[in-house]
DNA sequence: ATCCTTATTGCAACTAGTTGCAATAACTAA
DNA sequence: TTAGTTATTGCAACTAGTTGCAATAAGGAT
């Protein structure tokens, strides 16, 4: 926990029991968690803790790079402890999820840098589509109906 | 509006005054809008319309590919009429936003298909980073502090 | 050890978004 | 046209997430 403390202090922020509780929970579980889940767990670590503080803490720690945030599926926000840069592929049909390393996006980010000047640093992107299994079941609605007026599904 | 109607009907859904109102608003404004904005505008088109219906309609039309959804900045969901496939680059520092065509991501999606089998169809992805201007002001915190424990900011 | 500055919290009230369910009304088919 | 099926809506209650502000306490300095 002390490394986290020094990171924050160097930037003029403070380490608090509430932030420790959240970091502890995130480190212990090591997976995507909703704010509500974090709140429930953090309350066990630190009984007095309130909901607004959890939301603010999750947001703050994400900004500081200690946590990763992501939208998965139905627009719910989830968080996880930041250890390795990675991204996610999720099947719109069955929900199957796959984790991929950042290497696969490195070239894209470099191209974007060259063509737009933007230095992209999104290290936890979620892509949606169809998993191999669900592609078979669906007769690839690629060109058939959408083409005229509409584009494609959301991201 | 009739083309939209036939798209939905072919899939077993119905065109309603509420859906027409939302589509009208989205087509008229032609930009990213929050659900609340859409609600206020749609109410003018169709006075009786309620909030839950707007949320459900936005979600439904996104699933059907008639609208695009995206998360921009502070986790707020925005929608826009689906005309052309595109993505967004947003500066974390000053908020500057840039639109890019899908061609820039096509190669990535092809690589993902080859390496994972997933057929990605996210046609409205938002990437965060630093615009050219803000890169100068910030001494590129690339390696300096984050490296040991933490990863990078959220996406 | 004590004081001081101000980042951070808790509270309470608020806004945003979701859900179950009965009533409504598109569309289909006679 | 009319009747029937059921997708969709409105309502109301609910859950999720945000915000202003005064009270608290972390960490630097003495
Ligand atoms: Mn993840
Ligand atoms: Mn857009
Ligand atoms: Zn699948
Ligand atoms: Zn900028």
């Amino acid at each position: 926990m002390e490394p986290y403390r020094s990171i924050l202090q160097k930037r003029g922020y403070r380490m608090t029991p509430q932030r420790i509780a959240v970091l502890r929970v995130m480190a212990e579980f090591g997976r995507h968690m909703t704010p509500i889940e974090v709140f429930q767990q953090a309350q066990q670590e630190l009984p007095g803790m309130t909901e607004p503080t959890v939301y603010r803490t999750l947001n703050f720690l994400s900004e500081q790079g200690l946590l990763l945030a992501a939208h998965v599926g139905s627009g719910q926000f989830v968080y996880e402890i930041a250890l390795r840069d990675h991204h996610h592929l999720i099947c719109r049909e069955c929900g199957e999820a796959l984790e991929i390393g950042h290497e696969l996006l490195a070239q894209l980010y470099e191209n974007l840098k060259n063509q737009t000047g933007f230095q992209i640093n999104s290290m936890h992107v979620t892509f949606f589509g169809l998993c191999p299994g669900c592609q078979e079941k669906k007769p690839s609605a690629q060109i058939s109906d959408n083409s005229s007026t509409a584009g494609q599904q959301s991201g």
Side-chain angles (χ1 to χ4, degrees), chain A:
Chain A
M1 215 47 55
E2 288 313 306
Y4 289 128
R5 177 187 297 270
S6 79
I7 289 175
L8 296 184
Q9 289 189 0
K10 274 179 205 159
R11 300 179 191 171
Y13 302 114
R14 299 171 186 178
M15 183 52 93
T16 66
Q18 290 82 356
R19 287 175 180 172
I20 290 174
V22 167
L23 285 168
R24 278 256 249 296
V25 168
M26 301 305 285
E28 177 189 345
F29 281 73
R31 58 166 174 80
H32 291 176
M33 299 179 79
T34 66
I36 301 293
E37 282 182 307
V38 177
F39 173 55
Q40 292 166 342
Q41 293 299 327
Q43 264 197 325
Q44 313 228 8
E45 296 263 334
L46 189 70
M49 196 159 189
T50 65
E51 250 185 325
T53 296
V54 170
Y55 281 101
R56 281 188 287 221
T57 301
L58 290 172
N59 184 63
F60 169 79
L61 294 176
S62 297
E63 285 177 356
Q64 296 306 313
L66 308 191
L67 298 181
L68 296 176
H71 286 284
V72 190
S74 55
Q76 53 182 315
F77 238 130
V78 296
Y79 294 86
E80 87 181 293
I81 194 89
L83 296 176
R84 60 229 133 43
D85 291 339
H86 66 277
H87 309 279
H88 292 275
L89 308 188
I90 298 181
C91 178
R92 290 186 200 275
E93 216 41 41
C94 68
E96 184 187 326
L98 199 72
E99 203 173 302
I100 62 174
H102 177 62
E103 321 81 58
L104 286 166
L105 296 212
Q107 182 63 58
L108 169 67
Y109 285 18
E110 202 177 314
N111 292 347
L112 291 177
K113 180 79 204 297
N114 293 335
Q115 299 199 27
T116 69
F118 267 69
Q119 176 85 46
I120 301 300
N121 60 4
S122 290
M123 289 304 160
H124 200 216
V125 178
T126 306
F127 295 96
F128 295 90
L130 291 180
C131 74
C134 291
Q135 286 171 47
E136 297 174 29
K137 292 161 195 158
K138 276 216 161 182
S140 103
Q142 208 71 343
I143 317 165
S144 43
D145 46 17
N146 270 18
S147 52
S148 56
T149 56
Q152 226 92 341
Q153 283 81 326
S154 57

